[in-house]
Amino acid sequence: MINMYNDLNKLEGTFRQLEQFKALETAIEAVKEDESAVALFSNFRKMQMTLQEKQATGEDLNEDELQYAQKTAQLAQQNEKINAMLIAEMALSSVIEEITNVLVKPVQALYDGIPEAE
């Protein structure tokens, strides 16, 4: 019997050694060491969660919420340490997307033989 979890655990170890992972780890540590960056990022994250919750429930955002969200995002992106962290996160997200594509590839191939309706 195949135990894919052994392979996944090995992949996790490899993943942690990636340059992109280490860059994100370093960037997060830099944010953690700066109290103002931590506070700013915490506000940014709370705002993101609130927006996601409202979108998930179909609630509209009022003008004040939109302005607050934009201002919070701008402040976070203007912080050098947070911005570096967000850039590192995007680079790692690209790797995760590649991994996901590889994992989904055999499932997608199963559907490839189904003809499209005319």
Side-chain angles (χ1 to χ4, degrees):
M1 182 172 181
I2 296 174
N3 186 348
M4 72 174 180
Y5 295 104
N6 289 337
D7 292 336
L8 288 173
N9 287 328
K10 185 177 176 183
L11 177 61
E12 178 193 0
T14 302
F15 185 76
R16 289 177 183 273
Q17 297 305 311
L18 291 174
E19 177 184 319
Q20 295 90 335
F21 182 87
K22 289 183 177 199
L24 178 59
E25 189 174 41
T26 300
I28 288 172
E29 284 305 315
V31 169
K32 286 180 179 179
E33 292 171 359
D34 182 332
E35 286 183 34
S36 64
V38 168
L40 192 54
F41 185 69
S42 179
N43 268 351
F44 175 68
R45 202 167 190 187
K46 284 178 192 173
M47 182 267 307
Q48 279 186 315
M49 296 300 277
T50 300
L51 292 178
Q52 288 174 355
E53 287 173 15
K54 287 194 174 215
Q55 285 178 332
T57 60
E59 271 185 75
D60 289 331
L61 298 174
N62 64 43
E63 188 62 32
D64 289 341
E65 289 171 319
L66 283 173
Q67 286 180 356
Y68 177 73
Q70 288 172 345
K71 187 67 175 170
T72 303
Q74 284 174 347
L75 288 172
Q77 290 172 345
Q78 288 172 356
N79 181 287
E80 186 177 304
K81 292 175 183 175
I82 293 173
N83 193 47
M85 183 180 68
L86 295 174
I87 289 169
E89 182 182 321
M90 285 190 295
L92 187 60
S93 291
S94 294
V95 173
I96 292 169
E97 186 176 338
E98 289 176 33
I99 293 168
T100 301
N101 289 338
V102 170
L103 292 174
V104 172
K105 193 176 185 177
V107 175
Q108 188 59 45
L110 293 172
Y111 289 99
D112 286 347
I114 298 174
E116 292 186 29
E118 293 179 24

